[in-house]
Amino acid sequence: FSAPDGSPAEASVTATGVASAFGSIVVVGMAVNANADGGSIAMAWQSTDGLTWLEAPVEGAEDGQVFSVAATSSGFLATGPSGETSCLGGVWSSLDGASWACEASDPGFAGFAPYAAAGSPSVDVVVGLTEAGWDPSSGIGAPGAIWRRPLS
């Protein structure tokens, strides 16, 4: 696993999550110090045998952080608190781990910091914290939040 082409020499890669389903093994993580402003880039890799790994394209990867991945009945969900220029809500999905789409780019997801995902045959769920109700002067707030996607 290596940082994207063109990354500064000080860039490093951290693998933060692994899951397996549907004949695929996926690893998610991020390249740290990988862009001009020292930010991170969300990354994912996919394998069918655990020996050969292919880097998977990640929509909204720039300034993204990915800390975990879960296999669900609809594929995979990866999560991590991400910035305004990334996948704003930090929720990515993939059918097979070979490519990843941002599922939470609506402005309403600003301040959502997702940490874990799970799914059933009828719904995918991501839990995390939100800045809604956060009072920076007192440090009180950061209530829990849930993202959900009903499945047909």
Side-chain angles (χ1 to χ4, degrees):
F1 306 120
S2 60
D5 290 341
S7 295
E10 63 271 8
S12 62
V13 172
T14 301
T16 55
V18 62
S20 177
F22 314 109
S24 287
I25 305 165
V26 298
V27 170
V28 298
M30 61 203 124
V32 181
N33 296 318
N35 56 27
D37 64 359
S40 59
I41 297 174
M43 299 188 74
W45 299 267
Q46 185 261 351
S47 176
T48 57
D49 62 8
L51 297 172
T52 304
W53 293 89
L54 299 174
E55 184 178 334
V58 177
E59 178 185 22
E62 191 75 22
D63 290 325
Q65 299 181 72
V66 181
F67 293 143
S68 68
V69 63
T72 70
S73 63
S74 64
F76 297 95
L77 288 174
T79 58
S82 297
E84 291 180 19
T85 59
S86 181
C87 181
L88 186 60
V91 178
W92 289 268
S93 70
S94 177
L95 292 175
D96 58 6
S99 65
W100 294 81
C102 174
E103 294 293 340
S105 60
D106 185 276
F109 286 106
F112 182 50
Y115 284 94
S120 74
S122 62
V123 66
D124 285 337
V125 176
V126 173
V127 297
L129 302 174
T130 181
E131 290 179 355
W134 171 253
D135 179 3
S137 63
S138 69
I140 298 172
I146 297 174
W147 172 93
R148 64 185 297 274
R149 174 176 60 185
L151 304 172
S152 299

